[in-house]
Amino acid sequence: MEHPFFQNHFLILGHRGVPGEAPENTLASFRAARQQGADGIELDIRQCKSGELIVMHDARLNRTTSGRGFVRAKTLQQLKTLRITGGNGQERIPTLEEVFREFIGDLVLNVEIKGYPRRADGLEKKLIALVRRYNAVNRVIVSSFNPIPLRRIRKLDPEIATAFLVDRNFFIHRTEKAIMKLAGIHAIHLEASLATLPFVTHLREMGLHVLVWGDIPFERIPELKAMPLDGIITDYPQQVRQMLEGLQP
Ligand code: G3P
Ligand code: MG
């Protein structure tokens, strides 16, 4: 489905910011994406115990912070005492609101919902409220591997762009069934090894926008550029931008 988030040009989004420049999913990493000329960033969100939406990939704190245990078992106050591993040691776990406040004027945001409670826990409502408060319907796309939060978003606020994430664990022939069930979503975010010209063309003909993500060898950039894609989610926004510019006629 057409949506103003897609601006008629090939979008380059920094995956968790630019994780090679600063720790993933931190304000420093998002600043690096802005500085490298990315159109936007992809980031992962979860809800913590005190109810705020925070930016974190894993369910547990162990890999990326000085803390231990589950994000959902900690309050924001507890989370803010933790240091992010790597970088200059100064980064803290950002809230989604902090990201909106600093970046929504400069970057589009792909907010990926992690953590899949069966029963609604208010995450989607809070996310929608934030998008509305920042008047950012044209600047945000919400994605997930799980169709349930996407359906909730669609029901609550159908104007917000939604994308279903597809990876190699998800059989391609199941993708279409899922898309049908999810009728009303705007895009598929496809793991790049699944991106072939016929498949991407087929998805576009179904009226879906398509972005690719994952471990993408630079040699594939020209081939991907030739597909009817809407963009790429990459750890290397600057290099991808340079390669794409090199391909301009
Ligand atoms: O949104 C694309 C990508 O971020 C999905 O995988 O594990 O990096 O969140 P992951
Ligand atoms: Mg992600």
Side-chain angles (χ1 to χ4, degrees):
M1 262 209 299
E2 287 304 317
H3 191 283
F5 176 84
F6 299 95
Q7 306 154 5
N8 275 331
H9 77 270
F10 194 90
L11 292 169
I12 301 175
L13 308 185
H15 177 237
R16 310 181 197 175
V18 189
E21 292 290 324
E24 68 180 49
N25 280 329
T26 60
L27 297 179
S29 186
F30 304 149
R31 286 177 196 136
R34 177 167 56 192
Q35 196 262 327
Q36 290 199 0
D39 298 293
I41 48 176
E42 184 267 0
L43 57 98
D44 308 288
I45 64 158
R46 296 177 174 277
Q47 189 166 212
C48 68
K49 189 178 174 188
S50 48
E52 291 84 0
L53 304 185
I54 59 103
V55 182
M56 166 81 57
H57 181 274
D58 300 1
R60 288 171 185 269
L61 297 160
N62 305 36
R63 180 177 64 89
T64 58
T65 78
S66 56
R68 295 286 174 271
F70 287 98
V71 172
R72 65 165 190 269
K74 310 278 188 204
T75 63
L76 182 62
Q77 208 179 3
Q78 290 170 320
L79 292 173
K80 281 293 187 185
T81 65
L82 305 176
R83 277 187 316 281
I84 297 280
T85 314
N88 62 8
Q90 300 301 307
E91 290 300 310
R92 294 285 189 270
I93 299 170
T95 63
L96 186 59
E97 170 129 36
E98 287 165 347
V99 176
F100 269 73
R101 203 179 301 144
E102 179 167 345
F103 297 100
I104 200 69
D106 300 328
L107 298 173
V108 297
L109 306 182
N110 171 194
V111 178
E112 183 187 344
I113 299 178
K114 296 286 194 195
Y116 309 126
R118 291 243 178 87
R119 271 189 264 140
D121 63 357
L123 181 148
E124 295 86 357
K125 277 192 180 155
K126 289 172 191 171
L127 174 53
I128 290 167
L130 203 52
V131 173
R132 288 292 175 185
R133 184 143 28 97
Y134 281 81
N135 199 14
V137 169
N138 296 352
R139 310 278 298 155
V140 175
I141 190 164
V142 178
S143 65
S144 186
F145 284 109
N146 188 322
I148 294 170
L150 298 178
R151 291 177 84 150
R152 285 193 197 124
I153 298 267
R154 274 203 305 106
K155 261 199 182 153
L156 292 165
D157 193 338
E159 284 184 28
I160 293 184
T162 46
F164 184 51
L165 271 160
V166 172
D167 71 5
R168 277 176 278 193
N169 295 321
F170 201 92
F171 296 111
I172 286 186
H173 69 265
R174 283 179 55 201
T175 309
E176 272 187 41
K177 277 194 196 161
I179 293 167
M180 294 309 169
K181 275 199 192 157
L182 281 160
I185 60 161
H186 302 86
I188 294 292
H189 288 184
L190 192 62
E191 199 278 322
S193 69
L194 302 173
T196 60
L197 181 59
F199 188 45
V200 172
T201 305
H202 180 60
L203 292 171
R204 296 292 283 128
E205 283 167 1
M206 289 175 73
L208 292 158
H209 291 278
V210 185
L211 273 80
V212 289
W213 59 275
D215 195 6
I216 304 169
F218 288 139
E219 305 87 80
R220 284 203 69 206
I221 297 292
E223 178 203 347
L224 292 170
K225 181 69 176 71
M227 295 181 194
L229 289 167
D230 294 280
I232 185 167
I233 301 167
T234 172
D235 288 10
Y236 307 98
Q238 190 164 39
Q239 287 93 326
V240 168
R241 160 110 33 234
Q242 283 163 356
M243 288 199 70
L244 288 171
E245 281 170 4
L247 293 171
Q248 298 303 328

